[in-house]
Amino acid sequence: MTSASFRRADSRRRSLADDVLALTRALVERRSVSPDDAGCQELVIGRLECAGFAVERMRFGEVDNFWAVHPSPRGDGAVRKPRLVLAGHTDVVPCGPVAAWSSPPFEPAVRDGFLYGRGAADMKSSLAAMVVAAERFVATRPDHPGCLGFLVTSDEEADAVDGTVRVVEELLQRGVGIDYCVVGEPSSSARLGDVIRVGRRGSLGATAAVKGVQGHVAYPDQAVNPIHSAVEALRTLINTTWDEGDADFPPTSFQVSNVRAGTGAGNVIPGEFECAFNFRFNPKQTPDALKAAVEQAFEGAGADTEFDWRLSGMPFITRGGKLIDAVRGAVADVVGLETESSTSGGTSDGRFIAPTGAEVVELGPVNETIHQVDERVALADLAPLAHIYEAILERVLVA
């Protein structure tokens, strides 16, 4: 490459990086604590409409979502295949104590080679990179084969009941399927592109309310302490080895997340005990079997318990296929890595898309600081991330 060619290429890289950075900053400065979108989607919609996407806003309850496609649907009803969707969320988790942050969480700050701010890594930089990649792709290939879509929600970090799941239900009712989906979750571990998520464990949670009889601690024979029976049941569940996992999935895990009991007085046996817990389970388990094991443990401990169960998603996995090959090839071409496939981590909105038959892969920036104080994303990763997304579009829709 000549020195002039190198300078032009370097200028294009800087321009791309600046574009992704500017859009990421604009998204981060919007205080979109779930499920409040705070104007993020309108910002993205404006960009996509200028690029020629047809956008449909889909608000369910208090949640903003949108569905966008390129090219715009034709009046003859013809379906363009394949349909590749870029999926993400604009909502973020609360920032916690603002004083603990090095800079205000909703005032994006650049320092030491990073962009700091709530949502910088999870997942506003991914969304910005996707938008820029899509703009570049349709600008150079306005008549590209297939269909390129966006599915964006503001309900991923909260209840996830009026977001992606509702949009997918609506699309299915219309007969609109998704063939391939890239979710911009921060999948990378140490370096951009070193890990992609090809599936996730299921999530089953519950709140258990244990009834007792309130009384004086000096007269336990006149009371029933719900804490004692609940602790016995929880000890049984905590000490259970549910399975060893398999080649695709980590072992099933059980975790207690919250407990509540007591009147505030040290000499009163409480009349009730409440705890929340969660299973992250692989395909070796079923929700019904896990529920039965929990209920048996509490019953065996003599705990009079009512359960409020919530199944957030079933396990899913994409084993091979065109999308995984495209993602692996794009990562290798752009950052020179042989990416690792994983199903670890929490849940994502991929759990609502995969059951439709779509191949689903999650790819995004390094996840080291997500949901933490001083969340950040490396500036050096912004342009390569957009390049990877653009390369995936080329490989799936054109190659």
Side-chain angles (χ1 to χ4, degrees):
M1 180 182 291
T2 66
S3 60
S5 298
F6 179 83
R7 286 195 297 272
R8 285 196 298 271
D10 186 57
S11 175
R12 287 194 296 270
R13 285 193 294 270
R14 287 199 305 271
S15 176
L16 175 62
D18 290 345
D19 197 4
V20 179
L21 174 60
L23 182 52
T24 304
R25 293 185 69 150
L27 291 170
V28 170
E29 69 185 9
R30 286 161 170 77
R31 196 180 298 265
S32 58
V33 177
S34 190
D36 184 8
D37 171 68
C40 291
Q41 290 184 23
E42 288 304 318
L43 178 62
V44 172
I45 286 171
R47 296 277 295 252
L48 293 178
E49 287 180 333
C50 286
F53 281 78
V55 180
E56 180 181 359
R57 294 164 179 83
M58 293 184 175
R59 184 175 175 87
F60 297 106
E62 299 300 315
V63 176
D64 289 307
N65 312 281
F66 76 81
W67 167 250
V69 292
H70 188 282
S72 297
R74 298 189 308 200
D76 58 9
V79 178
R80 295 183 57 148
K81 289 283 195 174
R83 182 175 283 113
L84 168 61
V85 172
L86 303 177
H89 60 88
T90 54
D91 57 320
V92 299
V93 297
C95 60
V98 174
W101 287 67
S102 299
S103 53
F106 295 104
E107 295 178 16
V110 172
R111 61 179 182 275
D112 305 323
F114 291 91
L115 173 67
Y116 287 77
R118 175 56 84 222
D122 188 14
M123 55 168 285
K124 292 183 174 181
S125 56
S126 297
L127 185 56
M130 285 177 165
V131 170
V132 173
E135 289 172 333
R136 289 163 56 91
F137 177 75
V138 301
T140 57
R141 297 187 179 277
D143 298 318
H144 61 82
C147 177
L148 174 58
F150 272 82
L151 197 171
V152 178
T153 182
S154 63
D155 189 31
E156 198 273 346
E157 298 288 10
D159 294 334
V161 295
D162 285 323
T164 298
V165 62
R166 293 289 301 276
V167 176
V168 169
E169 289 172 353
E170 175 65 24
L171 295 178
L172 289 176
Q173 289 178 3
R174 302 177 185 179
V176 177
I178 297 173
D179 300 299
Y180 308 105
C181 181
V182 178
V183 185
E185 289 293 342
S187 63
S188 303
S189 179
R191 295 178 58 189
L192 176 66
D194 62 354
V195 177
I196 59 173
R197 309 285 180 201
V198 298
R200 296 279 189 160
R201 290 176 296 177
S203 176
L204 175 66
T207 299
V210 183
K211 299 176 182 178
V213 177
Q214 183 174 313
H216 197 292
V217 294
Y219 302 97
D221 56 312
Q222 299 176 7
V224 176
N225 195 325
I227 297 177
H228 293 181
S229 57
V231 167
E232 181 180 341
L234 292 174
R235 183 182 295 112
T236 297
L237 297 169
I238 291 168
N239 291 333
T240 298
T241 299
W242 301 96
D243 54 62
E244 300 294 339
D246 57 26
D248 295 317
F249 287 91
T252 296
S253 68
F254 171 85
Q255 291 293 317
V256 179
S257 56
N258 284 286
V259 295
R260 182 185 64 82
T263 64
N267 61 351
V268 177
I269 294 172
E272 60 182 11
F273 172 92
E274 185 176 279
C275 66
F277 51 83
N278 179 268
F279 285 98
R280 294 302 164 99
F281 64 99
N282 59 49
K284 291 187 173 184
Q285 307 294 332
T286 67
D288 286 344
L290 294 174
K291 290 179 182 179
V294 169
E295 292 169 0
Q296 182 178 354
F298 276 82
E299 183 179 348
D304 181 6
T305 313
E306 292 185 0
F307 296 95
D308 182 13
W309 292 99
R310 182 167 184 262
L311 178 64
S312 299
M314 294 292 291
F316 70 90
I317 188 169
T318 297
R319 293 185 175 92
K322 185 172 184 177
L323 181 58
I324 288 182
D325 290 344
V327 172
R328 288 185 176 279
V331 170
D333 287 349
V334 176
V335 295
L337 292 179
E338 182 177 348
T339 191
E340 172 190 344
S341 297
S342 172
T343 60
S344 64
T347 58
S348 79
D349 277 356
R351 69 190 189 273
F352 304 125
I353 300 169
T356 69
E359 295 180 21
V360 177
V361 173
E362 299 173 21
L363 167 65
V366 174
N367 57 30
E368 180 183 8
T369 62
I370 62 173
H371 292 207
Q372 295 184 15
V373 167
D374 281 348
E375 180 180 350
R376 58 191 178 272
V377 66
L379 299 178
D381 287 345
L382 298 180
L385 183 56
H387 277 304
I388 291 173
Y389 289 144
E390 187 178 4
I392 294 171
L393 304 185
E394 287 281 347
R395 286 170 174 267
V396 173
L397 295 179
V398 180

